[in-house]
Amino acid sequence: MKSIIKFFAFAVLFSIGQKGYSQDADFQVYLSFGQSNMEGSAKIEPQDKVGVDDRFQVLAAVDCPEIGRKMGNWYTAIPPLCRCTTGLTLTDYFGRTMVDNLPKNVKIGIINVAVGGCKIELFDKDKSESYIATAPDWMKGMIKQYDGNPYARLVEMARIAQKKGVIKGILLHQGESNTNDTLWPKKVKIVYDNLMKDLNLDPKKVPLLSGETVGEDQNGKCAVMNKIITKLPQTIPNSYVISSSGCAGADDNLHFTAAGYRELGKRYAQRMLSLLGYKLDDGKTILRIHAPIGYDQLNSNIASGKVESISYNSKTVGSLRKATVYTPPGFNKKKKYPVLYLLHGIGGDEKEWLNGGNPQIILDNLYAEAKIEPMIVVMPNGRAMKDDSASGNIMAPEKIEAFAAFEKDLLNDLIPFIEKKYPTYKDSEHRAIAGLSMGGGQSLNFGLGNLDQFAWVGAFSAAPNTKMPEELLPNPEEAKKKLQLLWISCGDNDRLIDNSKRTHDYLDKNEVPHIYYIEPGVHDFKVWKNGLYMFSQFLFKPVDQSSFASYKF
């Protein structure tokens, strides 16, 4: 019995020890590996050693006493970033570009483990031993600096990095030594999958960025390999190929010049910034213009809100009706909350957002990042009729009419019920309405038609039920005074985009402040989820209308 108690005590202590550190979500760590172009072949020039922001850090993967670095410690990322005597690498300007284009509170950390001349097999933990056995002596000397196992050293350093920061991506530059190997994408996937497993990473949240070899336009000796590299996303869905076109190649036609590395590194960063949702606006203002990768993925390490189904008596319809309600993490009945009414499309009901969009996960993740104000979200059934199911002919006239009738049900029945059941504010400044497709049209119709009730209005891919602009907003001056935010978003290939555009054109003509957000996409939840992610961050806090024009791709 004592031995069992000791075992469980040890297990608890071990678990505490494993979680006895606090990760900084603003410290982004990137693992980089590959062969000589990742290692760094170009001469480090004076310009590469100056102006390095101390927010850009490198975790030394080997001991380098000659430059004052000890393995496993963080240093300002002044080159060399791989080993003690390696040259300039693409990670130098990846990191520089990242810190230049991210908020000042965000830091970037690089771990660079690379071996010149190696095949991808060196990083396959099940094949590396046999590969090393036949490697030339000059390569074995480099491998020895990683205690004979570069993959193990990469994982070891990554685990150290995870004590301080969060691994956000993996950078790869390799392929020259695997030229014409059509199995290369599958071999890379083995390494990527092993990293995900060994470091407990989610492949949906951690992308792989892989660069092309010196291109054909630079007479690259291995340029033919780029046709194979470009196929990597077919094998690893969350992978992205970085073009080397125009990146200056060295005289050996295998490596890049310093200028080539600088440009290639910037391209890696530009892709990663895009995946994080950022762009640089006018060279001064840093904006996140779309949801980052992983924004809609469950994070079991953060607090979560509660989702419940409620029923309310609708005098408008003459029946008991249902709605879904989300309350935020840490919900306190003694505290008052603003409310967002989030509406579904023509083929949905009160659970469409939950089934297709996971708004609770999106909002939980935003709360964890302190990006949004605590709010209650009500997802009603916007079809105000006794049989309000999304069954049969959803385009039937009586069902279309029921969507219009929901305005009365919302204002006279649902909102009073929510404000009685939950601790909410009861003024327009603390009430928002938004929706997708048919719900987007409802949001514009009901929100702009009741400016004393809603100060925050959002439409994601508004459907043809949207009223004509002159009817929708006959008094633009009133809207200017009462609206805090009017958001209109749509996919650029959405067949219904004209509903959004005509509304935007009218608002623009009458100088009504609003965000007109057109993103790549069609009429689907990819666009609508991003709409919710973006719109929700504006709600119930001061809004800078001067930034509205910047929210576009």
Side-chain angles (χ1 to χ4, degrees):
M1 182 67 182
K2 288 183 179 180
S3 62
I4 294 175
I5 293 174
K6 287 181 179 180
F7 171 78
F8 280 108
F10 172 78
V12 171
L13 289 172
F14 178 78
S15 175
I16 293 172
Q18 292 294 296
K19 298 181 180 180
Y21 52 84
S22 178
Q23 289 181 312
D24 180 358
D26 292 325
F27 187 17
Q28 299 183 5
V29 176
Y30 294 88
L31 311 184
S32 58
F33 71 100
Q35 56 184 104
S36 54
N37 276 317
M38 182 59 79
E39 191 179 62
S41 178
K43 181 181 178 181
I44 299 167
E45 299 175 1
Q47 63 175 298
D48 305 315
K49 285 181 168 283
V50 297
V52 181
D53 194 317
D54 61 9
R55 291 163 48 224
F56 177 26
Q57 300 272 305
V58 61
L59 185 67
V62 297
D63 287 325
C64 290
E66 59 268 46
I67 57 174
R69 291 180 183 172
K70 185 176 181 181
M71 184 182 74
N73 289 341
W74 289 103
Y75 301 91
T76 299
I78 298 171
L81 301 190
C82 186
R83 297 190 306 279
C84 315
T85 58
T86 52
L88 191 70
T89 169
L90 65 92
T91 56
D92 282 282
Y93 282 82
F94 168 81
R96 286 187 178 216
T97 306
M98 291 292 286
V99 296
D100 285 346
N101 290 277
L102 288 169
K104 296 299 182 183
N105 60 306
V106 177
K107 302 184 292 293
I108 297 296
I110 287 288
I111 301 171
N112 190 327
V113 174
V115 175
C118 76
K119 288 188 174 183
I120 193 64
E121 284 84 349
L122 177 62
F123 291 92
D124 182 339
K125 63 182 182 180
D126 295 323
K127 294 183 178 179
S128 61
E129 186 175 349
S130 60
Y131 176 78
I132 294 170
T134 60
D137 290 341
W138 57 265
M139 187 186 294
K140 288 180 179 177
M142 291 185 282
I143 295 172
K144 186 177 180 181
Q145 295 185 58
Y146 299 117
D147 284 342
N149 194 330
Y151 176 83
R153 178 62 55 84
L154 181 62
V155 170
E156 177 189 3
M157 294 300 102
R159 287 173 176 160
I160 291 173
Q162 285 178 309
K163 294 179 181 180
K164 291 188 66 175
V166 177
I167 296 173
K168 300 291 285 187
I170 298 174
L171 315 180
L172 169 66
H173 197 285
Q174 196 279 330
E176 293 88 349
S177 294
N178 287 83
T179 296
N180 291 320
D181 182 355
T182 58
L183 295 178
W184 181 84
K186 292 183 178 180
K187 294 176 180 180
V188 172
K189 187 177 188 300
I190 290 171
V191 181
Y192 177 76
D193 289 348
N194 284 337
L195 287 171
M196 296 300 104
K197 182 178 180 181
D198 292 341
L199 296 171
N200 193 28
L201 300 173
D202 184 346
K204 293 181 180 179
K205 297 179 182 179
V206 183
L208 172 68
L209 279 59
S210 180
E212 293 180 338
T213 67
V214 175
E216 188 175 354
D217 64 317
Q218 301 292 315
N219 299 314
K221 289 183 179 179
C222 301
V224 66
M225 184 62 186
N226 291 339
K227 293 181 180 179
I228 295 174
I229 292 174
T230 58
K231 295 180 179 179
L232 187 61
Q234 298 175 20
T235 303
I236 303 175
N238 196 11
S239 66
Y240 305 85
V241 176
I242 312 303
S243 171
S244 68
S245 178
C247 294
D251 292 340
D252 64 5
N253 300 124
L254 286 172
H255 301 97
F256 297 95
T257 64
Y261 283 124
R262 294 184 194 113
E263 176 59 27
L264 190 59
K266 289 177 184 177
R267 293 181 185 182
Y268 272 78
Q270 287 166 355
R271 169 57 75 174
M272 193 64 218
L273 287 165
S274 176
L275 292 172
L276 293 173
Y278 285 99
K279 80 163 188 175
L280 184 65
D281 180 61
D282 67 29
K284 297 178 182 179
T285 307
I286 295 171
L287 293 171
R288 177 169 264 169
I289 61 160
H290 64 83
I293 190 167
Y295 78 105
D296 56 351
Q297 299 300 309
L298 180 67
N299 185 346
S300 59
N301 296 319
I302 63 174
S304 59
K306 180 182 177 182
V307 176
E308 61 181 340
S309 179
I310 59 99
S311 297
Y312 66 99
N313 182 39
S314 171
K315 295 179 181 178
T316 301
V317 177
S319 66
L320 204 61
R321 308 199 67 226
K322 291 183 178 181
T324 302
V325 178
Y326 166 88
T327 50
F331 177 71
N332 186 344
K333 292 183 178 180
K334 295 182 179 180
K335 178 183 176 182
K336 287 187 177 182
Y337 294 87
V339 183
L340 164 63
Y341 291 86
L342 188 61
L343 312 184
H344 61 81
I346 193 170
D349 55 23
E350 72 276 4
K351 293 188 177 180
E352 182 181 26
W353 270 100
L354 286 182
N355 294 334
N358 290 322
Q360 74 281 17
I361 294 176
I362 295 172
L363 296 172
D364 285 347
N365 288 335
L366 283 167
Y367 282 119
E369 296 179 14
K371 298 289 187 183
I372 58 174
E373 293 296 309
M375 68 184 82
I376 295 170
V377 180
V378 179
M379 292 164 273
N381 186 320
R383 195 181 293 100
M385 58 192 299
K386 289 186 177 180
D387 179 9
D388 58 7
S389 64
S391 59
N393 180 11
I394 60 173
M395 303 294 290
E398 65 272 17
K399 293 192 176 183
I400 300 298
E401 292 172 6
F403 276 97
F406 179 63
E407 179 175 9
K408 185 177 178 181
D409 179 60
L410 172 67
L411 298 175
N412 297 337
D413 300 313
L414 180 57
I415 290 177
F417 174 84
I418 292 296
E419 292 180 349
K420 183 176 181 180
K421 180 175 176 63
Y422 297 94
T424 70
Y425 291 103
K426 300 181 180 180
D427 58 283
S428 64
E429 298 287 320
H430 294 90
R431 193 180 296 124
I433 186 169
L436 66 89
S437 193
M438 179 70 86
Q442 286 178 306
S443 296
L444 291 173
N445 295 344
F446 306 164
L448 299 181
N450 296 277
L451 291 172
D452 290 332
Q453 296 291 324
F454 303 98
W456 314 81
V457 179
F460 317 140
S461 311
N465 64 316
T466 307
K467 294 178 180 177
M468 295 304 290
E470 294 78 8
E471 182 184 2
L472 191 64
L473 199 64
N475 187 352
E477 293 304 316
E478 182 186 13
K480 294 178 188 179
K481 294 177 183 177
K482 294 182 177 180
L483 277 175
Q484 292 294 321
L485 174 67
L486 175 53
W487 170 282
I488 298 173
S489 62
C490 194
D492 59 358
N493 284 314
D494 191 326
R495 67 190 186 283
L496 302 182
I497 194 171
D498 286 346
N499 303 304
S500 299
K501 187 177 186 304
R502 76 184 183 211
T503 305
H504 158 67
D505 289 344
Y506 177 81
L507 296 169
D508 203 37
K509 178 182 177 181
N510 289 279
E511 299 182 343
V512 178
H514 66 289
I515 292 178
Y516 183 52
Y517 182 95
I518 302 302
E519 62 177 292
V522 292
H523 201 74
D524 64 10
F525 260 108
K526 182 173 181 283
V527 170
W528 304 329
K529 290 193 297 182
N530 184 56
L532 174 62
Y533 175 88
M534 296 296 297
F535 177 70
S536 63
Q537 293 180 70
F538 287 94
L539 297 180
F540 313 124
K541 54 177 132 177
V543 175
D544 178 13
Q545 294 184 349
S546 67
S547 69
F548 283 6
S550 300
Y551 286 92
K552 56 186 178 183
F553 281 83

